[in-house]
Amino acid sequence: MAASSMENRVVALISRLHDVQAVKFGDFTLKSGIQSPVYFDLRVMISYPDVMVEVSQLLWEKISTSNFKSICGVPYTALPIATLMSAAHNVPMLIRRKEAKGYGTNKLIEGTFSKGDSCMIVEDVVSSGSSVLETAQSLGASDIVVTEAVVLLNREQGGVEKLEANGIKLHSVFTMTDVLDVLSRAGKMEPDMVIKVTEYIATNKFQPNKEILSVKPKSNNILKYSERAALCSNGLSRRLFTIMEQKKTNLVLSADVTSSKELLQLVDKTGPHVCMVKTHVDILEDFNQDVVDSLTKLAAKHDFLIFEDRKFADIGNTVVHQYSGGLYRISEWADVVNAHAIPGPGVVQGLKKVGAPKGRACLLIAEMSSSGNLATGSYTQDTVKMAEENKDFVIGFICVSKISSNPSFLHMTPGVQLEAGQDSLGQQYLTPSEVIGKRGSDLIIVGRGIYQAQDPANAAKQFQIAGYDAYVTRMAEAMIL
Ligand code: S5P
């Protein structure tokens, strides 16, 4: 069987399982007590003979090159599946009783076998691998050898590893990640649910020495930029994550210089090292339309986004004019702007009214880097809520640590230098490894550390390396947690 046609059949089967409600999305409490946004009830397959036949054929194809004398389905759903496989391929079947009868032969294994026979275990779903292992142990007690098992769905929760540690190789037709891929691509899941299930998979994925993670979701730490890009509903955050991965940089240049010539020179020199350039156009002594035209050309040349750090903080109606009009006409050229949450959701609605039709996006200032600032505690939490409620336009936060586990949100942190410290006006500096590695932020915003350096291009490169290294290390550490 050619791999691609098998793949197509698996895709079709996953869709069909969803149609017959063998896969459901919502809020479920699993047998283990874990809350899950996805639930598999594969037992319903028995009502759909075509599904049963396809499942048994796909399972068979997974083990067509393996050697075994008999097959044994784990009760209950896998029993009729094993029966179909047995009948179609003329392979004897064994049945493992859950308890010995207590009378007659008192056997645990039904069927004819000899000592040393090899048996393939068949199962519908494997999570931790315990039911397959119990079945293998019962068969083993009757001197039947189990070295392989085949399962329709691998929930990726340690089954493969647990069975391997017990000398059993597990073959699976598809994984939970495949289910997510197929159903999200087919538009059978709401974007919110895709995020929830992705988080769930990442959080509950088996990791050595921890069967199930009991810690809070760490999905931003585990998912790559490209994986997070796929979860964003706003095109700009998707683009930013993609640039970050392609250019290997999580550096935002804060180009806080006061002449346009200096600004454009700085941006051209540092462009290869950054994914975004942040401006304060109102500090330019010689602002004119040419500056933003040139800046836009540099953005295309070096592939970065433009972020005007305007920090809107007024009622919706006022920010509409501040954003679209005045001297700077910010909405005409800035991909991203930011806003304080202090006025309430009206500020976001005003910005969205102007920015959304132009494909723009906004960041909310949930925390600040300056000492004694008031953006802390419940203010920060309420800002996160405001972002959640406007996810199509708000793509993340200005913050000093990870404040949301939603992997589509960007966390951008100012106050970064290669050495921790303070300036004379209350700015507090952290290092890239502290910000990205320990505090779980996504992007570092660096101003004076770059434009006041003797060689800004080289300084930008150092920050690029430090920031990206911290991200790579964080990912590696999250994997082995
Ligand atoms: O809390 C904040 C928010 C922002 S956007 N603290 C900040 O420093 N910023 C901005 O980041 C600030 O306006 C400046 O443009 C940049 C930090 O510059 P640096 O020279 O201290 O790196």
Side-chain angles (χ1 to χ4, degrees):
M1 169 77 40
S4 62
S5 97
M6 174 120 177
E7 253 169 49
N8 292 341
R9 285 170 57 200
V10 170
V11 168
L13 175 65
I14 292 175
S15 257
R16 178 102 170 97
L17 288 171
H18 180 256
D19 294 343
V20 302
Q21 303 210 0
V23 186
K24 293 181 201 160
F25 300 105
D27 281 318
F28 305 98
T29 307
L30 303 183
K31 208 160 64 180
S32 55
I34 290 178
Q35 288 298 120
S36 170
V38 54
Y39 184 68
F40 295 95
D41 180 10
L42 296 180
R43 284 161 297 199
V44 301
M45 289 191 306
I46 57 173
S47 302
Y48 303 92
D50 62 311
V51 177
M52 291 294 278
V53 168
E54 180 65 347
V55 165
S56 60
Q57 282 174 357
L58 286 168
L59 283 164
W60 183 263
E61 283 160 33
K62 278 279 152 190
I63 52 171
S64 55
T65 56
S66 301
N67 281 321
F68 48 92
K69 190 136 188 200
S70 58
I71 58 175
C72 176
V74 180
Y76 286 98
T77 314
L79 277 181
I81 298 172
T83 311
L84 287 173
M85 293 164 77
S86 160
H89 302 281
N90 196 25
V91 182
M93 200 166 88
L94 297 172
I95 291 181
R96 174 206 168 216
R97 292 188 156 277
K98 283 215 156 186
E99 282 110 28
K101 288 182 292 184
Y103 58 89
T105 54
N106 214 19
K107 286 191 301 189
L108 266 175
I109 305 297
E110 301 289 356
T112 306
F113 57 88
S114 308
K115 275 189 171 189
D117 278 358
S118 59
C119 179
M120 171 73 70
I121 294 180
V122 179
E123 176 63 302
D124 56 340
V125 185
V126 163
S127 300
S128 70
S130 306
S131 352
V132 168
L133 198 58
E134 270 172 37
T135 305
Q137 281 160 351
S138 298
L139 290 164
S142 297
D143 292 318
I144 299 164
V145 181
V146 176
T147 56
E148 291 179 63
V150 64
V151 62
L152 182 64
L153 164 64
N154 169 12
R155 285 192 66 128
E156 302 168 286
Q157 285 167 4
V160 173
E161 294 77 5
K162 181 168 184 164
L163 292 170
E164 193 178 275
N166 285 277
I168 300 171
K169 182 173 166 49
L170 183 69
H171 306 269
S172 64
V173 176
F174 57 82
T175 63
M176 189 125 96
T177 305
D178 295 330
V179 173
L180 175 71
D181 268 9
V182 170
L183 297 181
S184 57
R185 259 176 239 237
K188 297 195 178 205
M189 295 171 72
E190 294 296 320
D192 274 10
M193 189 49 80
V194 175
I195 292 170
K196 272 196 192 166
V197 177
T198 306
E199 278 198 3
Y200 173 78
I201 294 177
T203 310
N204 290 289
K205 215 168 197 166
F206 173 77
Q207 310 200 357
N209 308 325
K210 271 201 182 175
E211 291 244 323
I212 302 285
L213 277 183
S214 56
V215 294
K216 271 181 67 195
K218 286 200 160 191
S219 46
N220 305 23
N221 292 356
I222 291 166
L223 297 172
K224 290 197 295 192
Y225 295 146
S226 53
E227 290 167 321
R228 290 173 64 184
L231 298 173
C232 298
S233 46
N234 183 291
L236 275 184
S237 44
R238 255 198 317 273
R239 221 179 110 208
L240 185 57
F241 275 126
T242 308
I243 296 174
M244 288 161 76
E245 179 128 331
Q246 281 170 357
K247 287 178 76 176
K248 294 195 187 320
T249 180
N250 47 35
L251 173 62
V252 180
L253 167 71
S254 186
D256 302 334
V257 291
T258 51
S259 89
S260 18
K261 188 170 164 215
E262 224 185 316
L263 171 73
L264 297 173
Q265 279 175 352
L266 172 70
V267 169
D268 200 15
K269 272 191 238 161
T270 54
H273 306 292
V274 305
C275 55
M276 188 179 243
V277 168
K278 183 174 84 61
T279 52
H280 279 298
V281 274
D282 54 356
I283 65 171
L284 285 176
E285 292 149 357
D286 53 352
F287 175 83
N288 58 55
Q289 185 58 36
D290 292 348
V291 183
V292 284
D293 289 348
S294 305
L295 189 61
T296 311
K297 282 193 191 122
L298 288 174
K301 175 178 168 191
H302 295 295
D303 199 14
F304 60 75
L305 298 188
I306 302 174
F307 164 21
E308 165 56 21
D309 187 2
R310 171 63 178 75
K311 296 190 180 72
F312 293 101
D314 215 319
I315 59 164
N317 185 57
T318 304
V319 299
V320 164
H321 297 293
Q322 290 174 322
Y323 186 23
S324 60
L327 191 56
Y328 305 115
R329 304 166 74 87
I330 296 169
S331 65
E332 298 294 321
W333 52 270
D335 297 303
V336 179
V337 290
N338 55 355
H340 284 292
I342 191 100
V347 65
V348 175
Q349 279 145 22
L351 294 173
K352 189 158 136 182
K353 191 169 161 200
V354 176
K358 296 184 192 301
R360 308 298 190 202
C362 166
L363 298 158
L364 288 182
I365 301 159
E367 291 178 321
M368 292 199 71
S369 60
S370 41
S371 72
N373 78 79
L374 308 179
T376 57
S378 60
Y379 180 86
T380 302
Q381 283 165 19
D382 291 345
T383 307
V384 173
K385 256 189 242 148
M386 198 186 286
E388 287 281 355
E389 281 153 18
N390 295 281
K391 268 196 298 240
D392 50 340
F393 188 62
V394 177
I395 58 171
F397 310 98
I398 299 293
C399 52
V400 292
S401 59
K402 184 176 132 189
I403 50 175
S404 164
S405 61
N406 182 332
S408 69
F409 280 137
L410 293 147
H411 291 75
M412 309 194 25
T413 301
V416 179
Q417 290 264 21
L418 291 174
E419 305 259 321
Q422 263 203 330
D423 73 4
S424 58
L425 296 172
Q427 174 70 305
Q428 306 176 110
Y429 288 111
L430 300 169
T431 62
S433 71
E434 168 75 24
V435 169
I436 305 287
K438 294 214 180 76
R439 295 173 170 237
S441 189
D442 298 311
L443 295 115
I444 49 173
I445 301 177
V446 184
R448 283 165 280 179
I450 294 174
Y451 67 80
Q452 285 185 348
Q454 281 219 320
D455 179 351
N458 187 47
K461 190 172 168 193
Q462 298 313 314
F463 279 102
Q464 174 190 10
I465 293 169
Y468 202 79
D469 273 2
Y471 155 71
V472 171
T473 308
R474 182 181 87 186
M475 290 273 293
E477 281 172 2
M479 296 295 178
I480 53 166
L481 249 188

